[in-house]
Amino acid sequence: MSKLFKITFLLSAFIATTCQAASDGLYTGVQLGGAGAILAGGGVYGRLLLGEQVNRFFAFETGATLLPHTNSGGGWIHGEAGKAYTVDGDVKLMLPLGSRFNLYAKAGPSVGYVEADSKGMALLANASVGMNLDLTKHVSTDLSVGTLFGQRDFADAFIGLGMSYHFA
């Protein structure tokens, strides 16, 4: 396990003993991390999101993802390296473990665009699993792993660490 992951996990466990659960309702967030291309030469992952948490078990989420350098190794456009952008809509299912900690899974369709020697759009699907910790009534942090896959033989994996703000 990486040192950063261990530190993040321990800090999250410590903070969990002194905070409240995040509220249902509208939330926004950001995630940063690495894309699967990092295993074959480097890639950064970034995502902005907007969601509506219906209750402790269910939410809708939409987001925009940027992969500034991706090469899925046989990938999206004939294995070429380039930038990828997606816009997605997800259904998010959450399993609360206590009042502050959740495991979650989310999935949905994505529309993607890649800038490489050949440019193009593709209909994709995305799925991810993760865990989030409610730091306060309004602020949550999360760690997730996921994948984008679909048309044009594209597949890329990512891992991200994020922060979100609940407005309610």
Side-chain angles (χ1 to χ4, degrees), residues 117-134:
D117 293 338
S118 303
K119 296 181 181 183
M121 293 190 71
L123 182 58
L124 305 169
N126 74 80
S128 62
V129 294
M131 58 184 155
N132 79 291
L133 175 67
D134 298 332

Side-chain angles (χ1 to χ4, degrees), residues 18-35:
T18 61
C19 57
Q20 311 169 26
S23 301
D24 295 345
L26 189 65
Y27 63 94
T28 187
V30 62
Q31 279 188 324
L32 298 171

Side-chain angles (χ1 to χ4, degrees), residues 1-2 5 8 19 35-37 39 41-42 49 57 59 61 66 71 74 77 80 83 114 141 161:
M1 243 186 256
S2 79
F5 178 77
T8 302
C19 57
L39 302 175
L49 60 98
F57 304 99
E61 198 172 280
L66 169 63
N71 182 352
I77 298 183
E80 299 168 5
K83 294 178 184 179
V114 71
T141 185
L161 183 60

Side-chain angles (χ1 to χ4, degrees), residues 51-148:
E52 174 68 29
Q53 185 170 323
V54 177
N55 57 38
R56 288 197 39 106
F57 304 99
F58 188 73
F60 295 103
E61 198 172 280
T62 186
T65 301
L66 169 63
L67 299 165
H69 176 80
T70 186
N71 182 352
S72 60
W76 193 337
I77 298 183
H78 312 295
E80 299 168 5
K83 294 178 184 179
Y85 309 90
T86 69
V87 175
D88 60 72
D90 296 331
V91 172
K92 182 176 181 180
L93 301 175
M94 297 166 289
L95 175 63
L97 299 175
S99 63
R100 297 172 191 95
F101 187 75
N102 295 309
L103 297 178
Y104 67 84
K106 60 184 174 180
S110 294
V111 175
Y113 178 77
V114 71
E115 289 181 0
D117 293 338
S118 303
K119 296 181 181 183
M121 293 190 71
L123 182 58
L124 305 169
N126 74 80
S128 62
V129 294
M131 58 184 155
N132 79 291
L133 175 67
D134 298 332
L135 300 176
T136 70
K137 183 179 178 184
H138 297 284
V139 178
S140 296
T141 185
D142 72 84
L143 176 67
S144 66
V145 294
T147 186
L148 288 165

